[in-house]
Amino acid sequence: MTVPNTPPEPARADAAAEPGAAPDPFAPPPVSDGEPPAGLPAAPPAAQHPLPAELRIGSGVVLACLLLGLVVAGLWAWLAPKVPLVVDGDRILYVDPEGEQRAGADAVFVLIGLGAGILTALGAFLLTRKRGGGISVALGLAIGGLLGSIGAWKLGRWLGPSDNLIAEARRVGNGGHFDASIDLGALGALLVWPMAAMVVLLALSAAFGKREEDPPPYWGVPAGTYGPPAEGAPAAEEAPAPGPDPAPGPAPAPAPVDVRPGAEEQGKG
């Protein structure tokens, strides 16, 4: 048996490329540059990662806290009570040995830090309320408040009286008075600003924060199922209301059967 020498069937892509050839229904649709194929929905835009936006917000909060730390340092250097000293020969003595100026400096720093924490938390909440805040705001307030407190402490010591007591005593001479440098006796005061900011932010978010809508229950009916029909759409015919089932009637009586002998043969005949 001989097999006829027939040319091979051309590939589908070649057949589709020939002029006048019928399009292949199984061939993939042509894809143009930048446009989706006909009949297919457009591809959704690539979702941007929210990390850069969160970093910008957090960095902005930290920078605002550092700038406010300059104001805190100036206020502390100005309002903190000073420790008066007097030069007595070759000795430097306290004018008031039982004074509470050192504790007063700590108290002033705590009060200023408390006000700075409330101010920064309120400002950050109002500026980020529409977007719902985020972890970046809380981290920015915590880190920025701590760095602002440390900067205010260091800068306030530099803005206050000099800590070189010998040079100051030589400057004023015997019997002269001068003030000692200001400092924190309790370093825990540095945590007042970030802690106050976190507490105020939590309270504001709980009371006035953005609320997310609860998702509908999975057993709920889709919206618009029983709503009024749209304009131009034919209204669906209402099914008749189900009524009570009719009472069942009496069953039909069975047909009489002749049981006499020979009745069956007569019927067949």
Side-chain angles (χ1 to χ4, degrees), residues 19-116:
D24 188 359
F26 301 100
V31 180
S32 58
D33 297 338
E35 297 181 359
L40 296 180
Q48 298 181 356
H49 202 276
L51 184 58
E54 297 292 333
L55 286 178
R56 288 196 301 269
I57 295 174
S59 302
V61 174
V62 172
L63 181 59
C65 292
L66 292 178
L67 294 178
L68 186 59
L70 302 178
V71 181
V72 173
L75 290 176
W76 184 51
W78 176 38
L79 299 176
K82 310 301 187 295
V83 178
L85 303 176
V86 60
V87 179
D88 184 12
D90 58 350
R91 298 180 303 175
I92 300 176
L93 304 176
Y94 287 104
V95 174
D96 185 8
E98 298 181 358
E100 299 291 340
Q101 290 84 359
R102 293 291 185 184
D106 291 2
V108 171
F109 190 89
V110 167
L111 292 177
I112 297 176
L114 182 62

Side-chain angles (χ1 to χ4, degrees), residues 221-230:
V221 180
T225 302
Y226 298 110

Side-chain angles (χ1 to χ4, degrees), residues 77-180:
W78 176 38
L79 299 176
K82 310 301 187 295
V83 178
L85 303 176
V86 60
V87 179
D88 184 12
D90 58 350
R91 298 180 303 175
I92 300 176
L93 304 176
Y94 287 104
V95 174
D96 185 8
E98 298 181 358
E100 299 291 340
Q101 290 84 359
R102 293 291 185 184
D106 291 2
V108 171
F109 190 89
V110 167
L111 292 177
I112 297 176
L114 182 62
I118 296 175
L119 182 62
T120 51
L122 181 60
F125 173 77
L126 293 178
L127 292 178
T128 60
R129 181 182 180 183
K130 292 184 178 180
R131 67 180 301 273
I135 189 62
S136 60
V137 179
L139 289 178
L141 287 176
I143 298 175
L146 182 59
L147 295 180
S149 294
I150 296 175
W153 171 44
K154 298 291 185 180
L155 184 58
R157 291 177 57 187
W158 181 76
L159 293 176
S162 176
D163 56 351
N164 192 346
L165 299 182
I166 297 178
E168 290 294 318
R170 290 175 179 176
R171 183 181 62 83
V172 299
N174 188 20
H177 293 74
F178 65 96
D179 295 330

Side-chain angles (χ1 to χ4, degrees), residues 217-261:
Y218 64 89
W219 63 82
V221 180
T225 302
Y226 298 110
E231 297 183 0
E237 297 182 358
E238 296 183 358
D245 296 336
V257 179
D258 192 358
V259 295
R260 293 177 299 174

Side-chain angles (χ1 to χ4, degrees), residues 12 15-25:
R12 293 177 178 176
E18 294 179 0
D24 188 359

